Structure formats: structure tokens, C-alpha cells
Amino acid sequence: QTHAKLIRTQDLRSAVLIGIDGKPQPLIRESYADVVIYPTSANPLHFGHDQIARSIQASTGKQVIFEITGKNADKDGCSIDTLIERAQQFLARWPVILTRGDGLFRDKAIAYPEADFAVGVDTVERILDPCFYGNEKKRDRCLRDFVERGVIFHVNDRINEKGTVVRVSDLPIPYTFRDIFQRNPAGVWDISSTQLRNARAAHDTSEAHADLR
């Protein structure tokens, strides 16, 4: 509670790192070359996140640090209280960064110099979508910046709505930028935060209907 009060008081004017012991600390690193940042909504955090993070640590030898932001390119934002609540799921599991900014990966690449990132295939599809940049020329300029900064995206397989496993190699990535998108060898887990939220909502609705009988 004391740590949560401190974060609220600071209003997350700058990003805060929460250790696995729950204690917040400022981000003062000059380089994240030994870190893989794993952005997620953590709504909720589930075993698939754990397995992916462990796989990336094993294959890269780098520390995985999760990140939850109140700002996102194509999702609704969330309050500081919501960020704090979601961060509690990481206690004794993983360090997590809380921030109200850096909603785009071009912002994250600046905020976390030399860091790699863990993402799903669906996120890579958005990174490649020119609509987030204005046109293909601006998109390619951003991808070129990732190359120059040494950014690597460790990409997790996903199962699409048809039940087909989609890998990063299935995406139409321009040849010049293929090397910055590398498949995470962990495989795929048929679970997502969206599925869990939908299941919980269906359960709550079922219970509400039962109470009315």
C-alpha cells in the first residue's frame, strides 16, 4: 500500500521499475543491452506470459522485464490505479515497468536504449501497418531507425481466429527489415488475456442470470 501511494503521488511522471519484491525504483540505466522488454496489458497475466518470458531468457541470456503502459497505439488507456493493480500480479514473478507514455515502439526504442522487445505476431502486423505511420515511406523510416538502434523483436507465434498457427515468417516483412524480427522458439500457447477476460465475463453473466431465477 505504501509503494502504491508513492506511485500515485509521483503520478508516474516518469517510468517506474517495480522489482519482484514489489518495491518501486527509478529507471536510471543508460543501456538496456542485456534486457528484453515485454510490453503487455497483463489483463490478466497468465502462464503463457511466464512461459514466453522464460523461453526468451533461456534463448538470449537476457533479463526479461515486463512493461505496462497507460497509453497504447490501438487500445484504450488505463488509469494509474489500474496500472498498480495489474502490477501486483508480477510480485515474486517478474520485474515490471509502469509508465504512462511510450505507447509506440518507436518511443520505446528511445526510452530503452539498446533493448530487445518481446512481441506477438499480431503486434508485428501492427508494426508493419502503414496506417500507424501515415504511409509506407514513414513506416520504412521507422523500421530503418530500429535497425540503426540495433533493436531485435523476439516474435511469439499466435493462433488466429481460424485456429491456424501464424509465425513471423508468414508475414509480408520487407526484405531489408527481416533480420530484426526473430521467431521465439517457445512455440505457441492457446491462451490469451482476451480469452480469459471473455471467459470471466461469460461466467459473471451466467451467475447474474442464475441469481435472477
Side-chain angles (χ1 to χ4, degrees), residues 191-206:
I191 185 173
S192 71
S193 294
T194 300
Q195 289 174 330
L196 293 176
R197 287 196 304 272
N198 291 342
R200 183 169 56 194
H203 175 73
D204 292 345
T205 300
S206 177

Side-chain angles (χ1 to χ4, degrees), residues 12-191:
L12 280 184
R13 285 184 292 271
S14 57
V16 173
L17 173 64
I18 310 294
I20 61 173
D21 58 0
K23 295 181 180 179
Q25 52 188 288
L27 288 173
I28 55 176
R29 302 177 60 134
E30 294 183 0
S31 171
Y32 290 80
D34 60 344
V35 169
V36 178
I37 302 292
Y38 190 169
T40 177
S41 66
N43 184 29
L45 185 70
H46 54 72
F47 76 87
H49 292 118
D50 289 314
Q51 296 299 327
I52 289 168
R54 291 191 188 103
S55 172
I56 289 174
Q57 283 196 163
S59 63
T60 66
K62 298 184 178 185
Q63 169 69 55
V64 170
I65 300 178
F66 284 78
E67 183 215 47
I68 314 174
T69 178
K71 184 179 180 181
N72 198 288
D74 61 346
K75 297 179 181 178
D76 293 335
C78 56
S79 66
I80 291 178
D81 285 342
T82 298
L83 291 176
I84 293 171
E85 180 181 353
R86 293 180 185 177
Q88 292 174 354
Q89 302 172 93
F90 291 86
L91 285 173
R93 293 170 76 176
W94 301 96
V96 58
I97 294 170
L98 301 185
T99 176
R100 297 187 73 180
D102 306 323
L104 301 174
F105 277 96
R106 56 190 173 193
D107 301 325
K108 298 181 193 298
I110 295 172
Y112 313 116
E114 301 181 284
D116 289 354
F117 295 95
V119 296
V121 164
D122 53 332
T123 297
V124 176
E125 288 176 327
R126 293 192 289 274
I127 291 173
L128 297 173
D129 191 338
C131 78
F132 289 106
Y133 308 87
N135 55 54
E136 284 192 9
K137 185 176 181 180
K138 291 181 179 179
R139 182 214 48 197
D140 289 353
R141 189 182 306 153
C142 182
L143 294 177
R144 195 170 298 112
D145 185 59
F146 290 147
V147 172
E148 293 172 355
R149 291 179 181 275
V151 172
I152 296 295
F153 293 96
H154 300 275
V155 187
N156 308 306
D157 300 344
R158 295 296 292 266
I159 298 177
N160 64 18
E161 62 279 359
K162 298 179 180 178
T164 303
V165 176
V166 182
R167 298 181 175 85
V168 66
S169 57
D170 298 323
L171 302 183
I173 302 173
Y175 180 80
T176 308
F177 308 116
R178 287 182 184 174
D179 288 347
I180 68 173
F181 298 101
Q182 298 183 6
R183 179 175 179 261
N184 176 18
V188 63
W189 282 267
D190 190 13
I191 185 173

